[in-house]
Structures are given as structure tokens and as C-alpha cells.
Amino acid sequence: MTVPKTLSRGRLLGASMRLSALLLVLVLFAVLVYRIVDGVSGAGFTRAVNAHRSPAAPNVKLSVIWAQAGTWPQRLRASVDRGTLWLSDLRGYPVVLNFWASWCGPCQREAAVLVSAAEARRGRVVFVGVDVNDLTGDARRFLRAHDVPYVAVHSGRSIADRCGLIGLPETFHVDRRGRIRDVTRGELSAATLDRALARASQN
């Protein structure tokens, strides 16, 4: 029996549509699995920090939006010129990784504490401001207004997710080996920063 050409084309079209639907389902499933794993890794990272297990800081590529490296050690300043920064570039020095935004009230109040601490520890501790959910122009106006003497970067999504960021401001205190020794959630005081830096500077 001869199968009409229109019927053959209809079957081919139907098979093609079923295959496309199957591929779409597989892609969506892969995305779902990725998001679940990514979320679990962020949650696990947060638990490790809270339990003082000193997890390694995530090594992600960050875009520099404020290239003032005056308080940084001399040998690290060249890394800012390329416009991007990897956290692994900063190994060998304690690092203060401060997440902030121009619209955040507590971030504005703690800015003077961070600026003063960075100046007092010039060449010995690396301060990095990580701008979150902000317009670059607004961020730079904030940095100029507070006369911030250290490098600031745009967070992107990867570092905020991987650090399990809860709110703003948050400050991660990283030791010379690149391990997070302490986290301050909320506005920093000079005393809190001093204690955290003392712990981060031990190794």
C-alpha cells in the first residue's frame, strides 16, 4: 500500500515537534538541576562560614568600577589596571571584602569606618568594596562622596550567590591563604572590624 505524501509529511512534522518538545524539557531540567546545585553550594558555604570552618573565598572575576588602589600593597596595584580582578590575585594579604550599595543607609554610615581602617593599615591589608544591585554612576558618586581610597568592583551575580549574601552591608574577612575567617552581617563598627582583622591576620 502506498502512503500518501501528505501523511508522511504530517508524521515527520509530528515527530519533529515531539523531539523539539523533548529537547526543551531536557534543557529546562538541566537548568533546574544547575540552580538547585548552585543554591545548595551557596547555602553550604554560608553554613561553613557560620560554623567558623574557614571555607575558601570563591575565586570569581570582578569588574573594577573604582581603581583607587592607594592603600593597597604596591605589588598588587598593577592588577587593577586591566579592569578586572580575581580574588586569587590578593593572596598573601588579609582582605576585607565589603558588600555595599549607594542606596543602603547602613552602608553610608559604615563608610567612614572602612576608609579610616584602610588608611591605618595601608600596604598591609587589602580592602575591596563590592557594589551590589546598583547603577555604576550612583556607585561612583558614593565612592567620591566618601573619598574611598581602595578599589571597588561590581558584584555581578556570581559572587553574591556563592557567598550566600543575605543583606547589605555584609563584610567578609579573608586571611592570607584566601580563606574566610569571619563575616560581619550588618553595619560595621571600628571595634568589630579590629577584632575580625586580628583573626584574619593570624595566618
Side-chain angles (χ1 to χ4, degrees), residues 88-102:
S88 59
D89 294 339
L90 310 179
R91 295 275 173 86
Y93 295 91
V95 176
V96 175
L97 200 61
N98 174 250
F99 289 83
W100 61 279
S102 64

Side-chain angles (χ1 to χ4, degrees), residues 20-188:
S20 296
L22 178 61
L23 287 173
L24 179 60
V25 168
L26 288 173
V27 167
L28 291 173
F29 179 72
V31 170
L32 176 63
V33 168
Y34 171 80
R35 292 301 300 154
I36 290 171
V37 170
D38 190 51
V40 168
S41 65
F45 179 86
T46 302
R47 283 195 298 272
V49 169
N50 292 339
H52 303 288
R53 293 200 299 268
S54 301
N59 188 31
V60 294
K61 187 179 181 181
L62 300 163
S63 299
V64 174
I65 61 169
W66 186 255
Q68 302 298 321
T71 63
W72 279 26
Q74 189 68 43
R75 75 174 185 84
L76 296 182
R77 295 180 190 179
S79 64
V80 179
D81 295 337
R82 62 176 180 254
T84 57
L85 180 69
W86 292 88
L87 290 184
S88 59
D89 294 339
L90 310 179
R91 295 275 173 86
Y93 295 91
V95 176
V96 175
L97 200 61
N98 174 250
F99 289 83
W100 61 279
S102 64
W103 44 262
C104 161
C107 302
Q108 295 175 31
R109 292 193 297 271
E110 73 174 10
V113 170
L114 288 158
V115 167
S116 177
E119 293 284 9
R121 294 166 175 82
R122 179 181 291 267
R124 295 179 288 122
V125 176
V126 179
F127 284 71
V128 181
V130 186
D131 183 43
V132 179
N133 294 335
D134 212 352
L135 296 174
T136 301
D138 291 343
R140 287 181 177 144
R141 277 190 288 276
F142 175 100
L143 293 161
R144 277 194 295 271
H146 293 282
D147 200 18
V148 172
Y150 52 83
V151 174
V153 297
H154 184 67
S155 69
R157 186 171 174 178
S158 58
I159 190 168
D161 283 351
R162 291 177 65 182
C163 284
L165 203 66
I166 295 171
L168 294 176
E170 288 191 16
T171 305
F172 290 72
H173 309 278
V174 185
D175 68 17
R176 291 181 176 87
R177 297 176 301 153
R179 306 193 73 82
I180 294 175
R181 298 296 303 273
D182 210 342
V183 178
T184 303
R185 303 197 189 277
E187 186 178 338
L188 269 175

